[in-house]
Amino acid sequence: MTTTSAPNPATPSRSRRAVGITLAVIAAVVVAFFIFASLYADWLWFRQLGFDGVLVTQWTARAIMFVVGFVAMAVPVWLSIQLAYRLRPVYARLSSQLDRYQEVVEPLRRLGMWGIPTFFGFFAGFAASAQWETVALWLNGGTTGTTDPQFGLDTGFYLFTLPFLSAVVGFVSAIVIVCLLVTALVSYLYGSVRVGQRELRISKSARIQLAVIAGIYLLVQGVSIWIDRYRTLVTPNDRITGAGYVDVNAVIPGQTILAIAAAIVAVLFFVTAVIGRWRFPLIGTGLLVVTSLVVGVAYPWFVNNVQVRPNQLTLESQYYERNIEGTKAAYGISGLEKTDFQAVTDVEPGQLRADADTTASIRIMDPAIIGPTVRQIEQYRSYYQFAEPLDVDRYQIDGKSQDTVVSVRELNVNQLGDAASWYNTTLVYTHGYGMVAAKGNERTADGNPVFVERGIPASGELTNGQKYEPRVYFGEFSPTYSIVGAPEGSSPIELDYPRGQEGESQTKTTFQGDGGPSIGDVFHRLIYSLKFQSTDILFSDAINEKSQILYDRDPATRVQKVAPYLELDNDPYPSVVDGRIVWIVDGYTLSANYPYSSIVSLSDAISDSSNPQPRVALDNINYIRNSVKATVDAYSGEVTLYAWDETDPLLQAWQKVYPNTLKPISEMSGDLMSHVRYPTDLFKVQRAMLGTYHVDTAQSFYSRDNAWKTPNDPQQDTQLQPPYYLTMKMPGQDAPSYSMFSSFIPGGQDTRNVLMGYLSVDSDAGSEAGVVSPEYGKLRMLEVNAETPVPGPGQVQNTFNADPVVSSFSNILRQGQSEVINGNLLTLPVGGGLLYVQPVFVQSSGATKLPTLQKVLVGFGDQVAFEDTLQEALDKLFGGDSGASTGDTDVVPEPSPGDEATPGTGDGGTAPTTPTTPSSDYQTALNQARDALAERNTAMQNADWAAYGAADAKLTEAISRLLELGQQGQN
């Protein structure tokens, strides 16, 4: 018989434990390194940009607030558990059920005593860290010099202190409730609180602890109710935001009573902690509930229904006036200059002579339509792209201000196809090239834009005679990341542009700026390999000691990261400033806590046909300022922030939170100043408020007999019409200025589409370095006299579409497989009335879209003209001579496919005739012209210039034949 010794069970147990611990440590190290890599990459990005103080401030503030929140919650909860446990009755008689509970809980008691406070502490810490900005504004906010009309407090109290107090009270309430719950639970488990046989027994120690906590909770609620008195001034009511008659005479006094009552009941709980009688605090609590129903619900209802509703205007007038004044101040519309405008609707020769400067600048190139045309002409390669819609700007050309339509030629690596390797998309195709700009008021003979800046290499009026940097490494469509830079003397590998010297097909370059963090060593390559989850960054031989990684390249993203307190305008735009392409971004400070200012949905206010689904961080607001103008250099990515509205109290507070991040306006160059404009989104918000708040009296505000709204876009009747930039002269102005305008029609549903108001804002900041034009931001409103109805945009568009000549022109083009696209419908206050101008574009319905300007529609009163050029249309409309000149005065358009229709108008002049069916010869020539145009466009896309020349010759021949046939038809 043999025996075998039993295996030692301890050895594998220790091995498994060691392996488990090792794996856990390795996992923890890996996770920690990933977290470190993410944070370190962020710090590298901010440090390279010179805004590392912003990130450090955020990290520090969040960490401090986390600690504060953790300690503020964990310590009271831990103390409550300890007291409840240590003061438990030692010989309490427990039920069998509690005995079982204790058997389960006792082994976990120590863990629970520390784990529960830690658990709640972490939640509280994260909640507190999320409120660090509220605390920062409270610590750094100041006074505004303006007081509210109810309590006489500075508005800075509502902007900075009130949100902080509300957050603190809410946080303390949560702490007290958790302490009350854990105290009750521990007291019940250990016999301090016993329930049974219809009897509640509480030990002395538990009574003191529960009564004190309950008293503290009621004190906190009393403070909360007291604070709610001030919140009535920023709370929306039936018609206004702010305290009305019911609030002032019932709600606020009732809240005062309730706050005092809550404090009294709290004192009763403290007394109970001493004397041991629960009757008084319980009775007090019941009376407090009854009082809250009486003074908080019943009495306000009584005042509203018995006093206010029968006499609403009389009793509410002063509060409506408070709301009107507060809203105008908060939205920056208090300086509105209103003019009663008696518009004329009759036309006569020479009527526009006094407005020749305005008509000369009328934009006929619609930036929302001509994008495909610009792309066909200026794209050069499929890996380039232009933004749609294009942007608008203005430049000094030949000593005159010229409105332009502009866009940057950016990179589109998605079009590389089979060439889209990591090497190409990261190291070769790294940047766009140049900016194109076309005159807004001119056209070529064939309906294309007239460029003032174009081409590769770049050339034109904007850059001739100065050192110009055309490369665009930072734009709205830049790749996620690119790696650039090389030692001096190295062969360049970055594609600069697709044309070279001495027969070369490409020109290459090397980035010379400081645009991103260095990844010249293995450690930094590892960091960014993890960030972008790409092993190619770690192992590529093309990366050298001078390499930089460029990412977060969108201008809005860069500004948002370095100035996280700003809401950014949805329309950043590029400009050539001091020889460099820069993106100009407008930043806003927002609040929802301005007393007596009405709340507006920011997303609804700025939504229109040009931006149907905007994204905003803070939606419901009642205060807005364009406090910051930011620029992003398209080559280096450098971000510069300028304190545009230095009087804004929110900006002043944020400057203290993030010191040394903003530059004063005095450091803004004259060239940059000349391209700064009044921001689009701010104007949209202001026009949304002015639909109601253009009135000055409580009577008009209450009756809403003069409420307006922004008309829908005639081309997209489910979206609002966007405002437009244009150089024009408003009635009362001495000279034209770069402005933005919008119009108003009557508010409500199913109302007449007639013009009620015309709003403009002076958008030209001037051109003097560090000095803003005194007229910049001046809001002007023309209140159209209702005695002479002026058709609104929708009515004018309907008139245009119903005109026999316009409809016949469209019908003929549709037969020829073309599309007619109506451009932006501009409204201008000229000739003593309001002139409507709409360019009409034609494009093929096939795959290649090339919109060209073919006609221009104009309307004044009930008169309409439809001609090849704006000059011809205005002259036709105003009796043969409008008295003004336009940008297309000298243009002789090529005949369009619809020219066989007699150019009659509905203006009381030549009666329109029925268009004749085109002859077979004419149709043949028309088809030949269309085919030749398509061949020419295809050749241009393929850079086949021989084929382009042949197609162009065919097109010229076909057009000559069309002209010959047209003359024969007229004879």
Side-chain angles (χ1 to χ4, degrees):
M1 181 176 176
T2 60
T3 61
T4 305
S5 60
N8 187 354
T11 302
S13 176
R14 287 198 211 97
S15 300
R16 285 195 297 269
R17 188 179 301 113
V19 171
I21 293 174
T22 302
L23 292 176
V25 170
I26 292 174
V29 170
V30 170
V31 171
F33 185 76
F34 271 92
I35 296 174
F36 165 77
S38 177
L39 296 176
Y40 184 60
D42 285 342
W43 183 76
L44 289 173
W45 187 91
F46 278 90
R47 186 188 64 171
Q48 183 277 326
L49 207 52
F51 286 88
D52 49 316
V54 172
L55 190 63
V56 172
T57 297
Q58 294 178 15
W59 285 352
T60 304
R62 289 182 181 276
I64 292 174
M65 289 302 300
F66 178 86
V67 172
V68 170
F70 182 90
V71 172
M73 174 66 80
V75 171
V77 172
W78 178 84
L79 189 59
S80 298
I81 294 174
Q82 290 291 327
L83 287 174
Y85 175 75
R86 293 183 182 278
L87 299 177
R88 70 193 185 283
V90 179
Y91 302 105
R93 181 181 300 175
L94 302 178
S95 64
S96 59
Q97 187 175 16
L98 280 178
D99 281 333
R100 287 194 297 272
Y101 286 161
Q102 284 194 8
E103 290 177 1
V104 174
V105 170
E106 189 61 28
L108 302 173
R109 177 173 56 80
R110 290 184 177 277
L111 177 63
M113 284 184 171
W114 292 96
I116 292 175
T118 302
F119 173 80
F120 284 108
F122 269 105
F123 274 97
F126 287 121
S129 67
Q131 294 290 329
W132 78 267
E133 291 180 324
T134 302
V135 177
L137 282 178
W138 171 68
L139 291 172
N140 294 279
T143 59
T144 65
T146 303
T147 58
D148 79 83
Q150 178 61 36
F151 298 104
L153 297 175
D154 189 273
T155 55
F157 168 81
Y158 298 91
L159 294 173
F160 307 119
T161 305
L162 185 59
F164 170 74
L165 293 178
S166 298
V168 170
V169 169
F171 188 77
V172 173
S173 294
I175 295 173
V176 176
I177 288 176
V178 172
C179 290
L180 186 63
L181 291 176
V182 297
T183 298
L185 178 62
V186 174
S187 298
Y188 176 73
L189 286 175
Y190 288 95
S192 297
V193 176
R194 286 175 286 170
V195 181
Q197 299 179 353
R198 299 181 181 180
E199 186 179 21
L200 174 64
R201 291 183 177 273
I202 303 176
S203 68
K204 180 179 179 181
S205 59
R207 182 195 71 216
I208 295 173
Q209 188 172 350
L210 290 171
V212 169
I213 295 175
I216 293 174
Y217 180 76
L218 281 171
L219 278 179
V220 173
Q221 297 312 301
V223 173
S224 177
I225 295 171
W226 186 269
I227 292 174
D228 286 342
R229 297 162 65 249
Y230 304 109
R231 296 202 62 82
T232 57
L233 271 62
V234 296
T235 302
N237 284 319
D238 181 29
R239 287 180 175 267
I240 64 173
T241 295
Y245 182 88
V246 174
D247 294 302
V248 171
N249 294 278
V251 174
I252 293 176
Q255 289 172 333
T256 303
I257 294 172
L258 286 174
I260 296 173
I264 294 173
V265 176
V267 171
L268 293 178
F269 273 99
F270 295 145
V271 171
T272 295
V274 178
I275 66 174
R277 295 183 178 274
W278 289 96
R279 179 181 304 172
F280 298 116
L282 294 179
I283 293 175
T285 302
L287 291 176
L288 182 62
V289 173
V290 173
T291 303
S292 66
L293 294 175
V294 173
V295 303
V297 179
Y299 183 60
W301 179 89
F302 175 83
V303 172
N304 182 54
N305 287 275
V306 175
Q307 290 184 264
V308 175
R309 291 183 61 183
N311 310 284
Q312 189 163 11
L313 178 59
T314 303
L315 297 179
E316 296 277 25
S317 290
Q318 63 172 315
Y319 306 107
Y320 292 161
E321 290 173 357
R322 291 179 179 182
N323 177 247
I324 293 172
E325 182 179 349
T327 300
K328 289 183 176 182
Y331 290 97
I333 56 179
S334 55
L336 177 68
E337 180 183 284
K338 294 189 291 185
T339 303
D340 186 29
F341 190 62
Q342 186 72 44
V344 300
T345 56
D346 298 330
V347 296
E348 60 183 32
Q351 193 166 339
L352 302 183
R353 187 164 287 112
D355 298 294
D357 291 337
T358 296
T359 58
S361 300
I362 296 176
R363 187 177 65 242
I364 54 177
M365 283 293 149
D366 187 346
I369 291 179
I370 66 170
T373 304
V374 172
R375 184 170 63 249
Q376 289 290 334
I377 297 173
E378 286 294 317
Q379 184 169 321
Y380 289 94
R381 292 291 187 271
S382 61
Y383 50 77
Y384 287 130
Q385 64 180 322
F386 294 95
E388 289 191 31
L390 279 66
D391 291 297
V392 295
D393 201 355
R394 74 280 191 199
Y395 290 88
Q396 288 290 322
I397 299 177
D398 297 330
K400 296 182 179 179
S401 179
Q402 172 67 56
D403 289 7
T404 56
V405 179
V406 302
S407 188
V408 169
R409 187 183 291 104
E410 293 202 55
L411 203 59
N412 185 4
V413 293
N414 295 325
Q415 293 297 321
L416 289 177
D418 294 337
S421 63
W422 179 88
Y423 183 91
N424 279 340
T425 57
T426 305
L427 300 165
V428 178
Y429 295 89
T430 58
H431 61 278
Y433 189 92
M435 190 172 79
V436 298
K439 294 182 179 181
N441 62 337
E442 294 188 22
R443 53 164 287 183
T444 63
D446 56 357
N448 287 329
V450 176
F451 291 97
V452 295
E453 181 74 22
R454 62 178 299 185
I456 297 179
S459 64
E461 298 288 342
L462 309 187
T463 57
N464 287 345
Q466 64 174 323
K467 186 178 180 181
Y468 174 53
E469 178 52 73
R471 297 165 186 85
V472 181
Y473 283 88
F474 295 85
E476 295 178 304
F477 303 103
S478 296
T480 303
Y481 68 93
S482 294
I483 298 175
V484 298
E488 187 175 352
S490 301
S491 298
I493 62 173
E494 297 178 52
L495 174 67
D496 200 16
Y497 53 85
R499 186 178 300 174
Q501 299 177 352
E502 300 179 359
E504 294 290 335
S505 61
Q506 295 178 344
T507 297
K508 295 185 178 180
T509 188
T510 298
F511 180 73
Q512 300 296 326
D514 182 16
S518 171
I519 56 169
D521 58 72
V522 175
F523 177 71
H524 287 89
R525 291 169 69 170
L526 175 60
I527 292 295
Y528 282 101
S529 293
L530 294 175
K531 179 176 179 63
F532 293 107
Q533 300 181 11
S534 171
T535 56
D536 296 306
I537 296 177
L538 187 60
F539 299 117
S540 174
D541 292 335
I543 299 177
N544 55 75
E545 67 273 13
K546 296 294 184 180
S547 291
Q548 305 171 38
I549 185 166
L550 312 182
Y551 62 99
D552 286 339
R553 302 162 76 176
D554 177 66
T557 300
R558 294 179 77 79
V559 174
Q560 190 70 80
K561 289 185 71 172
V562 302
Y565 53 90
L566 295 177
E567 181 73 46
L568 301 184
D569 193 273
N570 283 265
D571 188 23
Y573 59 99
S575 290
V576 177
V577 176
D578 299 319
R580 302 179 74 90
I581 299 174
V582 300
W583 296 91
I584 301 177
V585 186
D586 286 284
Y588 308 109
T589 45
L590 309 175
S591 179
N593 292 291
Y594 196 90
Y596 276 108
S597 175
S598 285
I599 298 287
V600 68
S601 168
L602 180 60
S603 59
D604 289 345
I606 66 177
S607 173
D608 56 27
S609 62
S610 66
N611 186 24
Q613 294 181 327
R615 295 182 179 180
V616 297
L618 178 62
D619 195 10
N620 294 320
I621 64 168
N622 70 352
Y623 175 91
I624 183 171
R625 287 292 184 272
N626 177 210
S627 54
V628 173
K629 300 283 188 182
T631 63
V632 178
D633 191 297
Y635 182 80
S636 68
E638 178 185 5
V639 178
T640 307
L641 307 176
Y642 295 95
W644 186 253
D645 187 351
E646 295 176 331
T647 64
D648 175 34
L650 287 174
L651 181 63
Q652 292 172 356
W654 284 118
Q655 283 182 294
K656 296 176 183 177
V657 177
Y658 299 112
N660 305 318
T661 57
L662 283 89
K663 294 184 177 181
I665 299 176
S666 59
E667 296 188 25
M668 186 178 286
S669 71
D671 199 8
L672 175 57
M673 188 72 73
S674 68
H675 292 285
V676 166
R677 69 189 190 190
Y678 200 79
T680 308
D681 286 350
L682 175 60
F683 186 74
K684 291 178 183 179
V685 172
Q686 290 175 328
R687 76 173 180 180
M689 301 311 299
L690 283 170
T692 300
Y693 288 93
H694 63 277
V695 300
D696 297 317
T697 65
Q699 172 71 46
S700 297
F701 177 83
Y702 174 74
S703 61
R704 300 292 172 97
D705 58 344
N706 200 21
W708 300 341
K709 65 180 181 181
T710 303
N712 287 341
D713 192 327
Q715 312 310 318
Q716 301 181 40
D717 57 7
T718 60
Q719 299 288 340
L720 298 181
Q721 186 180 38
Y724 298 113
Y725 289 99
L726 202 66
T727 296
M728 65 178 187
K729 181 173 68 174
M730 285 284 286
Q733 278 187 289
D734 297 330
S737 66
Y738 191 66
S739 305
M740 183 167 39
F741 69 87
S742 186
S743 57
F744 295 98
I745 61 175
Q749 300 292 331
D750 301 324
T751 56
R752 292 194 307 161
N753 197 285
V754 294
L755 218 58
M756 300 300 296
Y758 184 90
L759 176 67
S760 77
V761 62
D762 196 319
S763 302
D764 191 354
S767 58
E768 184 178 352
V771 179
V772 182
S773 169
E775 292 297 303
Y776 172 85
K778 179 68 176 179
L779 291 164
R780 295 179 173 89
M781 172 81 78
L782 301 181
E783 295 184 320
V784 182
N785 195 298
E787 294 180 2
T788 306
V790 177
Q795 187 176 337
V796 169
Q797 187 67 67
N798 183 70
T799 302
F800 284 167
N801 295 340
D803 185 270
V805 177
V806 178
S807 58
S808 63
F809 176 82
S810 301
N811 291 335
I812 291 174
L813 287 172
R814 292 190 186 99
Q815 293 173 6
Q817 297 183 346
S818 295
E819 297 177 359
V820 177
I821 307 174
N822 292 323
N824 41 215
L825 184 59
L826 305 177
T827 311
L828 297 101
V830 295
L834 289 153
L835 172 71
Y836 286 94
V837 177
Q838 184 174 58
V840 179
F841 296 82
V842 176
Q843 73 175 10
S844 169
S845 58
T848 302
K849 305 295 185 182
L850 189 68
T852 58
L853 179 62
Q854 297 295 331
K855 296 284 186 179
V856 179
L857 276 161
V858 295
F860 194 93
D862 58 355
Q863 309 298 307
V864 175
F866 182 57
E867 300 295 334
D868 291 340
T869 67
L870 177 59
Q871 183 68 60
E872 293 174 355
L874 291 179
D875 288 340
K876 185 71 175 178
L877 184 66
F878 290 95
D881 180 16
S882 65
S885 61
T886 63
D888 60 358
T889 298
D890 299 326
V891 176
V892 180
E894 295 179 358
S896 64
D899 281 344
E900 60 271 16
T902 303
T905 68
D907 62 350
T910 304
T913 61
T914 304
T916 59
T917 303
S919 65
S920 59
D921 290 341
Y922 192 96
Q923 188 63 50
T924 300
L926 182 63
N927 292 336
Q928 291 174 348
R930 185 179 299 107
D931 293 341
L933 180 62
E935 291 176 10
R936 189 179 72 167
N937 292 336
T938 302
M940 180 186 297
Q941 286 181 312
N942 298 330
D944 187 347
W945 304 116
Y948 179 89
D952 191 62
K954 291 181 182 179
L955 180 62
T956 302
E957 181 180 352
I959 290 174
S960 299
R961 180 60 177 161
L962 285 170
L963 289 173
E964 180 182 347
L965 292 173
Q967 291 174 352
Q968 292 176 0
Q970 292 176 358
N971 294 333

